[in-house]
Amino acid sequence: MQKLLVTGGAGFIGSNFVHYVLENTEDHVTVLDKLTYAGNLESLRGLPEERFRFVQGDICDAALVDGLVAGADVVVHYAAESHNDNSLHDPRPFLDTNIIGTYTLIEAARKHNRRFHHISTDEVYGDLELDDPERFSESTPYNPSSPYSSTKAGSDLLVRAWVRSFGLQATISNCSNNYGPYQHVEKFIPRQITNVIDGIRPKLYGKGENVRDWIHANDHSSAVLAIIDKGIIGETYLIGADGEKNNKDVVELILEHMGQPRDAYDHVVDRPGHDLRYAIDSAKLRDELGWAPKFSNFDAGIEDTIAWYRENENWWRPQKAQTEAKYKEQGQ
């Protein structure tokens, strides 16, 4: 049994991790979350009170962070500003949370000699050409293209430097695009699902040729636990489920599963600097730590995700109108 401090645990990927840990281990979890628009306490409803605690606060608050880290065995750092469109509109919060917040956490982990795992993204590597057979690996040079991905790259490099310079007991994982329950409706897959539920035609950036490597949030969670348990300090592990799909195919699959014509969507103006393709080579994680995804069938994973949004309208409904109004202002 361990005591885990999970930052950003009321967000999409963090909350899925908290559920996964409490369902599959005997560990105790404390969540630290600022509860910005992307954090939702409803995502943590029903968790066992004897093994779960929630603290509202900012990861940039050094005094708060220090006390929480001191009481934990492992720090799992999910907290981040993560939406590309938002980073293009206002980069500053991404600098505060992703850079200063990470610095605050690793300083506390160094002081108290705590195990630290840093959650990052494949977007730090930039993008690949659509017809490029290569995939990202742990040795791929960083080439971020947005304020979001550049600040995540910066946070990765801080962790690496603290490992080398100060002996921080840390690992890093860079994961491909997640989907599943509890994802904010500003994101691509839940936006399209909830649009169809509301009788609104889905929206597709540009021609929809951009490729993402999709992974179910539960598979991301199991990979992170494997890295915490068996990963080598100082190492980086890429997490992916061989789920490459272009955005057009994803929208058409959602429409098909929801009983609509596959072409019942609209094209909207593309995002500035929209990365073409992400693809993950997770061989190191699979070969060295024995991890494998369980949601290897993207079609089944999408069906499961659609069912969750149909059954949990009370969770996403409060976010929907404001999100669509913002996209409308941007012509998207």
Side-chain angles (χ1 to χ4, degrees):
M1 186 191 75
Q2 298 183 103
K3 292 180 288 185
L4 272 58
L5 173 63
V6 180
T7 70
F12 162 46
I13 307 177
S15 64
N16 275 279
F17 178 73
V18 171
H19 281 273
Y20 191 89
V21 168
L22 292 173
E23 290 168 6
N24 292 277
T25 76
E26 298 300 318
D27 294 343
H28 289 236
V29 175
T30 296
V31 164
L32 172 61
D33 198 294
K34 191 177 179 180
L35 290 183
T36 64
Y37 79 96
N40 191 339
L41 272 179
E42 290 299 309
S43 302
L44 301 171
R45 181 178 294 277
L47 295 175
E49 294 182 3
E50 69 278 8
R51 294 172 54 211
F52 171 74
R53 178 169 70 118
F54 177 80
V55 177
Q56 184 172 354
D58 191 338
I59 59 172
C60 296
D61 183 339
L64 174 63
V65 165
D66 185 81
L68 292 173
V69 170
D73 300 309
V74 182
V75 180
V76 191
H77 179 30
Y78 280 91
E81 291 285 348
S82 65
H83 191 45
N84 267 308
D85 288 339
N86 291 346
S87 79
L88 294 166
H89 176 70
D90 182 10
R92 180 54 192 260
F94 292 75
L95 292 163
D96 292 337
T97 298
N98 299 350
I99 299 295
I100 301 303
T102 299
Y103 161 76
T104 304
L105 286 160
I106 58 178
E107 276 290 88
R110 173 167 78 106
K111 174 183 175 182
H112 297 287
N113 194 30
R114 296 299 188 255
R115 176 76 168 86
F116 188 89
H117 182 69
H118 179 63
I119 306 295
S120 191
T121 171
D122 58 354
E123 296 189 39
V124 299
Y125 301 112
D127 61 349
L128 300 164
E129 295 296 329
L130 295 177
D131 58 355
D132 189 342
E134 293 300 314
R135 296 188 291 173
F136 299 139
S137 72
E138 288 80 3
S139 61
T140 301
Y142 278 20
N143 187 30
S145 57
S146 73
Y148 161 54
S149 56
S150 63
T151 54
K152 286 300 292 184
S155 68
D156 292 6
L157 296 177
L158 284 174
V159 174
R160 291 184 183 181
W162 259 241
V163 170
R164 180 167 178 173
S165 297
F166 303 119
L168 182 69
Q169 300 296 297
T171 46
I172 298 171
S173 58
N174 298 81
C175 191
S176 56
N177 285 57
N178 281 230
Y179 71 98
Y182 303 114
Q183 189 172 25
H184 194 284
V185 295
E186 71 181 4
K187 298 290 190 173
F188 179 63
I189 286 178
R191 186 186 183 202
Q192 313 317 323
I193 292 171
T194 54
N195 274 350
V196 175
I197 290 173
D198 280 353
I200 302 170
R201 288 167 65 90
K203 305 295 189 290
L204 189 64
Y205 284 142
K207 295 180 179 179
E209 295 176 342
N210 307 72
V211 173
R212 299 295 179 259
D213 194 347
W214 295 100
I215 183 172
H216 195 281
N218 279 359
D219 285 332
H220 188 180
S221 297
S222 68
V224 169
L225 275 185
I227 295 167
I228 291 170
D229 290 343
K230 297 180 285 185
I232 297 172
I233 296 302
E235 291 293 308
T236 294
Y237 298 88
L238 266 61
I239 304 173
D242 299 327
E244 285 188 61
K245 297 282 184 184
N246 71 38
N247 291 345
K248 179 175 178 289
D249 288 344
V250 173
V251 167
E252 291 179 353
L253 183 63
I254 290 170
L255 285 163
E256 182 179 305
H257 275 290
M258 300 185 76
Q260 300 293 315
R262 288 178 64 91
D263 62 353
Y265 58 86
D266 297 324
H267 294 273
V268 296
V269 61
D270 206 353
R271 169 193 294 157
H274 197 177
D275 287 345
L276 291 175
R277 172 174 165 258
Y278 306 147
I280 286 282
D281 180 355
S282 58
K284 177 179 175 179
L285 175 65
R286 298 178 190 230
D287 295 344
E288 295 184 10
L289 304 189
W291 174 84
K294 292 186 177 179
F295 279 87
S296 56
N297 185 327
F298 183 71
D299 192 285
I302 282 292
E303 187 172 8
D304 179 80
T305 303
I306 290 169
W308 189 89
Y309 281 91
R310 285 192 187 279
E311 295 165 6
N312 290 274
E313 185 170 334
N314 288 341
W315 182 89
W316 59 262
R317 177 61 62 191
Q319 313 163 1
K320 185 62 177 173
Q322 184 177 0
T323 299
E324 290 304 315
K326 182 177 67 176
Y327 274 121
K328 187 176 181 179
E329 289 178 4
Q330 300 168 353
Q332 298 171 332

